[in-house]
Amino acid sequence: RQNQKEQDQKFLAEKILYNHKGQSFSLAELAATSVSNPAVRRAEFMTRVKGFEIVADSCEHACEFYTLTTPSKMHASLSKGFKNPKFDGTTQSQAHKYLNQMWARIRAEFGRQNINPYGFRIAEPHHDGTPHWHFLLFMPKNQVQTVRQIMEDYALSVDGDEKGAKEARFKAVSIDLDNGSAAGYVAKYVSKNIDGENLDIGVYGENPIEAAERVETWASVWSIRQFQQIGGAQVSIWRELRRMEAVAEKGSDIEQARLAADNSDWKAYQEAMGGVICLRKDRPLQMVYEDDVNTDTGELRQNQYEELSAPKIFGIKSGLTLINTRPHTWTVSKVFEENSGNASNLLSKKLEALKG
């Protein structure tokens, strides 16, 4: 995985993007400013956690931390490293799919009982690579016991009578926002699953940076999504808003949401988007996509697998207002020797072009 990343970085460094305005940037520099950069991804995630915490505090909602694990038959080894005699050959991706299916059933039950928690899910491996999930969820205080009961019931729905199941399958911890911080509580879980920064030592006494590399590799090999938002306005619109300049209508829905995103105010962004409990179709801002069309032939483009390319992000709309957040046309080219003298100017050009 380390070799693969080195090759990826070399590829990015050798590619230059040009647009119709004559601006040029290396792919490596642009990647460093996006969420593909672990430091940026960690900072954005913690901003969102803190924003949800502020929302919960203002609404006097409860803050809960849950852990869901799989049945023992999905674990290749026991806690002390010995082979598990119950192991049925389940792969890590299959175990993750099991947790996904369980969570889908839990959310369906939440929907039937009009329960709408919001927060985040974090997936990480046990010692043998089998995934387990952590949840940081916020909800009205009168729903806490119902949420706990629903999650425990589904966690024990498969082999729930086996030894240790009741203690291991579902764990719940209440976080008192008056005496602590939800963001502070999950900071170690976020860091150890991204880059290990700001940790002195890992969970098992290991080097936290090396441990984070192993976790990231595990997630990549088994195609496991490590972080997922639950409820609230989607982060994709937040990211597009941060690309925009100010709009003329100062009090419009788009400008209010853009200001919140530009100021990294997740709480204000949620309010501008209709609140944390709002159906996506009812939110004032919507993402707009466009098909990737070959302008020469008028046909939809195909990817390298001869499949139709997925629609691309065009921008954001609010009512009849449509804003293109990606107006530039880009061309990728290799770095030629004659361009090497301009390399020192690329970063300054990029910062100037991306200002604001």
Side-chain angles (χ1 to χ4, degrees):
R1 179 63 175 168
Q2 289 172 340
N3 291 336
Q4 185 182 49
K5 284 186 173 182
E6 288 176 6
Q7 291 300 315
D8 289 346
Q9 193 62 29
K10 182 179 178 181
F11 174 86
L12 294 175
E14 291 177 347
K15 294 293 185 292
I16 297 293
L17 278 177
Y18 298 91
N19 65 21
H20 60 285
K21 288 189 173 183
Q23 298 169 325
S24 59
F25 313 97
S26 77
L27 283 178
E29 289 174 340
L30 294 178
T33 66
S34 72
V35 289
S36 61
N37 182 338
V40 173
R41 186 162 71 252
R42 185 181 67 252
E44 181 192 79
F45 189 87
M46 293 308 299
T47 296
R48 292 156 65 193
V49 171
K50 186 62 179 177
F52 272 153
E53 180 181 344
I54 296 172
V55 171
D57 191 45
S58 64
C59 296
E60 296 186 352
H61 285 174
C63 177
E64 295 276 287
F65 188 80
Y66 302 141
T67 301
L68 278 180
T69 61
T70 58
S72 64
K73 65 184 179 182
M74 296 184 183
H75 293 260
S77 64
L78 303 175
S79 59
K80 293 184 179 180
F82 297 106
K83 185 177 179 180
N84 179 14
K86 293 183 179 180
F87 182 52
D88 63 0
T90 300
T91 65
Q92 280 90 329
S93 57
Q94 289 171 337
H96 187 66
K97 183 178 180 180
Y98 168 84
L99 291 172
N100 263 313
Q101 292 171 339
M102 186 199 303
W103 176 239
R105 297 187 185 106
I106 290 171
R107 293 194 70 172
E109 185 61 30
F110 285 166
R112 287 189 285 269
Q113 300 199 32
N114 197 28
I115 296 173
N116 298 287
Y118 54 97
F120 296 94
R121 185 270 292 159
I122 303 172
E124 62 179 16
H126 282 293
H127 65 286
D128 61 354
T130 306
H132 61 282
W133 285 10
H134 297 297
F135 295 86
L136 178 71
L137 296 178
F138 304 93
M139 67 203 76
K141 294 178 180 178
N142 62 357
Q143 295 180 348
V144 169
Q145 292 306 317
T146 303
V147 169
R148 287 189 176 198
Q149 191 61 57
I150 291 172
M151 293 190 70
E152 183 177 32
D153 288 346
Y154 278 95
L156 296 173
S157 61
V158 176
D159 298 340
D161 56 350
E162 66 180 356
K163 183 180 179 180
K166 192 167 181 63
E167 295 77 23
R169 296 284 189 84
F170 174 71
K171 297 180 181 178
V173 176
S174 291
I175 301 175
D176 187 352
L177 297 181
D178 293 329
N179 298 315
S181 165
Y185 191 88
V186 301
K188 64 178 181 180
Y189 292 96
V190 175
S191 184
K192 75 177 184 177
N193 283 284
I194 294 181
D195 57 9
E197 289 294 330
N198 304 318
L199 293 179
D200 295 327
I201 192 170
V203 177
Y204 304 107
E206 74 281 11
N207 181 312
I209 295 178
E210 180 181 320
E213 287 182 344
R214 292 178 179 275
V215 172
E216 189 276 336
T217 301
W218 164 83
S220 176
V221 168
W222 295 106
S223 301
I224 290 175
R225 184 178 179 180
Q226 290 177 275
F227 304 97
Q228 183 177 14
Q229 180 178 316
I230 297 168
Q234 62 267 45
V235 72
S236 54
I237 292 180
W238 159 277
R239 291 169 181 163
E240 292 305 304
L241 290 167
R242 289 172 63 85
R243 302 166 63 97
M244 291 172 47
E245 300 288 345
V247 298
E249 299 83 1
K250 297 300 180 184
S252 66
D253 292 333
I254 290 181
E255 181 60 9
Q256 289 183 35
R258 189 201 67 80
L259 282 172
D262 197 50
N263 293 321
S264 298
D265 190 338
W266 187 255
K267 175 180 180 293
Y269 168 69
Q270 295 297 319
E271 293 171 347
M273 289 289 286
V276 291
I277 302 174
C278 178
L279 295 177
R280 182 170 293 190
K281 66 181 181 64
D282 296 330
R283 295 196 180 278
L285 273 62
Q286 303 289 333
M287 289 285 287
V288 179
Y289 297 87
E290 64 176 350
D291 290 321
D292 190 3
V293 179
N294 186 324
T295 55
D296 295 330
T297 64
E299 297 179 346
L300 295 177
R301 293 186 189 275
Q302 293 183 331
N303 59 24
Q304 64 268 39
Y305 305 108
E306 297 184 352
E307 300 169 337
L308 291 180
S309 298
K312 301 183 298 184
I313 294 175
F314 176 83
I316 297 170
K317 70 174 181 178
S318 176
L320 299 177
T321 302
L322 176 63
I323 296 179
N324 183 0
T325 58
R326 305 190 178 200
H328 301 309
T329 301
W330 296 94
T331 303
V332 181
S333 176
K334 284 188 176 182
V335 177
F336 294 103
E337 238 174 87
E338 57 266 29
N339 292 333
S340 60
N342 298 325
S344 60
N345 298 323
L346 289 176
L347 183 57
S348 60
K349 285 183 180 179
K350 180 201 69 173
L351 292 175
E352 182 179 351
L354 298 181
K355 192 175 181 180

